[in-house]
Amino acid sequence: MTTYPVEFHRRLEQKWATRIDQILTVAANAIPPREPNGDDDEENEEDEEDEEDEEDEEDEERDDEPPVVREPERDE
């Protein structure tokens, strides 16, 4: 096991103390996260319903059109 001089430990403790202070300062000034509420869920559900309605309308439009039949290409 390697032993380190006391000076090494002192400098390491100072370095970590400085880093911890920096982290706490940034964390103290950070904007807190929003509390979850039902508003976001409702907006997402409405968006999904709108997308489903649009898809249904597109499907209905396709049903009105006759199917397209393509002839296979022939090598001559």
Side-chain angles (χ1 to χ4, degrees), residues 32-76:
R34 295 188 300 143
E35 290 185 18
N37 54 21
D39 294 345
D40 291 340
D41 294 338
E42 291 173 7
E43 290 175 7
N44 289 339
E45 289 175 4
E46 290 174 5
D47 291 342
E48 290 174 2
E49 290 174 2
D50 290 343
E51 290 175 5
E52 290 175 0
D53 291 342
E54 290 174 4
E55 290 175 0
D56 290 342
E57 290 174 5
E58 290 175 4
D59 289 342
E60 289 174 5
E61 290 173 5
R62 286 190 210 126
D63 290 342
D64 294 342
E65 299 173 1
V68 177
V69 179
R70 293 187 351 184
E71 295 289 331
E73 296 179 11
R74 296 182 182 168
D75 293 335
E76 291 183 23

Side-chain angles (χ1 to χ4, degrees), residues 12-41:
L12 188 63
E13 287 173 359
Q14 286 177 345
K15 182 178 180 180
W16 277 106
T18 304
R19 294 245 174 115
I20 290 171
D21 287 342
Q22 289 173 348
I23 292 168
L24 293 177
T25 302
V26 170
N29 295 330
I31 299 171
R34 295 188 300 143
E35 290 185 18
N37 54 21
D39 294 345
D40 291 340
D41 294 338

